[in-house]
Amino acid sequence: MSDTYLNVFVNCPFDGAYRASFEALLFTITASGYRVRCALEAEDSGDIRFDKLCRLIGESDRTIHDLSRIEVGENELPRFNMPFELGLALGAKRFGGKRQKAKSALIMVAEPYRLPAYLSDLGGNDPVIHHRDPLHVIKVVRRFLHASPSGEPLPGQHMFIEIFERFKHDLPGIAAARRVRHEEIHPYEDYRAYLWFLSEFVRRLQTA
């Protein structure tokens, strides 16, 4: 049996300004019992990025897209990666086979009413607002997932936030036990290690 139902593809900015929200995303998905999939998970120079994105989206029954990054960069140009990856996911849902058509997607933005101004083709889609607040990201993603992979209702948002704060508090100790300094644990620069420590925290919590 395929385990694509466990996979949640994450499409969001990978920069310092988004770091806290990214950590909240990773935590909520993992603590809910699902498996995060994103472009950071494999460092293979031979893996063409477009092919990797298609594979990750194809293997994920749920996708989360944060379209809040609309500011221009230092080159005075916006980044189009996030809308592009959303387009891939919607294309898979529209033109794919039976399993692809069953995909569900969460579209997040920072502020209400602004999406039609820069992505009018999504008219009729209702994005969810997170106000650039990591704790609100937890609330939004928890509501989207709503149940564990086994179908049991997830704990409430306040419990998720409480456990998230506990994870941040416990992370230095978990890292030290593996002879890793806390400052070396970075969700972008060492994504796979960060996700391992997060998964280990969740495992300990479940077996306590």
Side-chain angles (χ1 to χ4, degrees):
M1 178 180 176
S2 171
D3 63 354
T4 57
Y5 71 97
L6 289 174
N7 294 339
V8 180
F9 175 74
V10 171
N11 164 28
C12 66
F14 298 138
D15 57 33
Y18 193 78
R19 174 174 174 169
S21 291
F22 185 57
E23 291 176 343
L25 257 174
L26 298 182
F27 169 80
T28 309
I29 294 169
T30 304
S32 298
Y34 294 91
R35 182 166 52 214
V36 181
R37 307 298 303 274
C38 82
L40 297 177
E41 70 179 51
E43 296 183 6
D44 181 358
S45 298
D47 195 358
I48 298 173
R49 184 177 177 87
F50 177 75
D51 293 340
K52 177 166 64 175
L53 290 171
C54 289
R55 183 179 68 254
L56 293 174
I57 291 171
E59 293 174 353
S60 304
D61 285 358
R62 295 170 179 81
T63 62
I64 297 175
H65 310 266
D66 194 327
L67 304 186
S68 60
R69 184 56 50 78
I70 59 175
E71 302 86 356
V72 296
E74 294 179 358
N75 58 3
E76 298 185 355
L77 293 172
R79 295 293 301 274
F80 295 118
N81 289 356
M82 279 68 76
F84 177 75
E85 292 176 29
L86 171 61
L88 287 177
L90 294 180
K93 182 176 178 67
R94 175 58 63 93
F95 301 112
K98 182 177 180 181
R99 187 180 61 77
Q100 299 294 333
K101 291 182 184 298
K103 287 184 184 296
S104 59
L106 170 65
I107 302 174
M108 302 190 296
V109 294
E111 302 170 10
Y113 313 121
R114 297 196 66 186
L115 184 64
Y118 59 90
L119 199 55
S120 59
D121 283 351
L122 279 180
N125 294 78
D126 293 322
V128 181
I129 318 302
H130 60 53
H131 303 289
R132 295 188 173 88
D133 179 353
L135 300 186
H136 210 79
V137 169
I138 291 176
K139 173 183 177 181
V140 166
V141 174
R142 178 216 160 267
R143 189 169 61 208
F144 169 65
L145 297 174
H146 78 85
S148 71
S150 64
E152 298 176 358
L154 293 174
Q157 68 185 58
H158 295 292
M159 178 62 71
F160 266 86
I161 291 171
E162 180 181 317
I163 298 173
F164 181 51
E165 296 299 332
R166 179 176 168 185
F167 165 65
K168 291 191 290 184
H169 177 271
D170 291 357
L171 181 56
I174 299 173
R178 289 284 171 172
R179 295 177 293 180
V180 178
R181 293 184 177 182
H182 178 219
E183 60 269 21
E184 294 178 302
I185 311 268
H186 196 287
Y188 299 137
E189 296 174 6
D190 202 357
Y191 165 81
R192 288 175 293 180
Y194 181 92
L195 200 60
W196 187 91
F197 286 115
L198 172 56
S199 299
E200 177 65 9
F201 169 81
V202 172
R203 186 192 66 79
R204 293 183 183 184
L205 198 67
Q206 292 172 341
T207 57

